[in-house]
Amino acid sequence: MGEVNLSDLMVQVTENSKHIYPSHEFDSQLQPGIRIMGNAERLEQVLMNFINNSVKYSLADKKIILKTTINADVVRVSVSDYGIGLSEEQIERIFERFYRVEDKKFMTSGLGMGLYISAEIINNHQGKIGVESELGRGATFYFELPLII
């Protein structure tokens, strides 16, 4: 754990994502100069997990939004897509170990560990992780961490 320029990390992750997923459009809505205490490699792992899931579950609309929002002494980092979305039941279970979204029309691979590991990483940073979604209308995965003031 050390001081991390989250803004620079977000720019790097966005650029990497553009190269990994050239068929998708990445809209960055990032604020400059955001500093937090954390482990940059683990936070990058969380961000890439969010992005990988957005790509995996967004076959039609290929726009993904990466955003930072500051509220008092906390930063919220979010990744939004316009994919298949989640039901209320799925939202309640999405961060459980081995849980995978199953959709009869939409089959995908994975172990169901990515979001569980992401939640553990954010919990170890004394942060908060969550999702806002509506079935058929996409999802926004986010985490919140305290700012260095």
Side-chain angles (χ1 to χ4, degrees):
M1 296 284 255
E3 186 174 319
V4 176
N5 184 321
L6 188 61
S7 302
D8 289 350
L9 179 63
M10 294 286 295
V11 168
Q12 176 187 337
V13 165
T14 303
E15 289 305 312
N16 290 345
S17 298
K18 288 177 182 178
H19 291 290
I20 296 169
Y21 302 111
S23 63
H24 284 70
E25 174 190 347
F26 293 90
D27 178 10
S28 299
Q29 301 173 12
L30 309 175
Q31 297 176 321
I34 298 172
R35 296 176 317 138
I36 58 157
M37 288 301 290
N39 179 315
E41 289 81 17
R42 295 290 71 86
L43 294 173
E44 180 179 2
Q45 182 179 354
V46 173
L47 286 164
M48 287 309 300
N49 184 265
F50 286 0
I51 291 165
N52 293 338
N53 284 341
S54 286
V55 168
K56 191 182 330 183
Y57 293 102
S58 299
L59 297 178
D61 189 325
K62 300 195 181 286
K63 183 175 184 179
I64 297 172
I65 301 167
L66 288 84
K67 185 175 183 180
T68 54
T69 310
I70 294 175
N71 184 8
D73 59 350
V74 173
V75 60
R76 176 180 278 209
V77 176
S78 62
V79 176
S80 302
D81 64 60
Y82 298 97
I84 65 171
L86 300 165
S87 68
E88 287 295 323
E89 179 191 349
Q90 291 167 332
I91 289 171
E92 289 175 19
R93 301 192 58 206
I94 197 71
F95 295 104
E96 291 177 11
R97 185 172 17 184
F98 303 123
Y99 183 77
R100 292 183 53 222
V101 170
E102 298 293 341
D103 184 314
K104 304 237 182 301
K105 300 176 298 249
F106 189 89
M107 299 304 287
T108 185
S109 64
L111 298 174
M113 290 295 291
L115 290 171
Y116 171 78
I117 292 169
S118 295
E120 290 295 308
I121 290 169
I122 297 304
N123 288 337
N124 288 337
H125 281 74
Q126 281 70 54
K128 174 184 172 186
I129 192 169
V131 61
E132 297 166 350
S133 183
E134 196 176 318
L135 198 56
R137 297 186 177 257
T140 298
F141 282 87
Y142 66 87
F143 62 83
E144 296 177 346
L145 296 172
L147 292 167
I148 294 177
I149 305 204

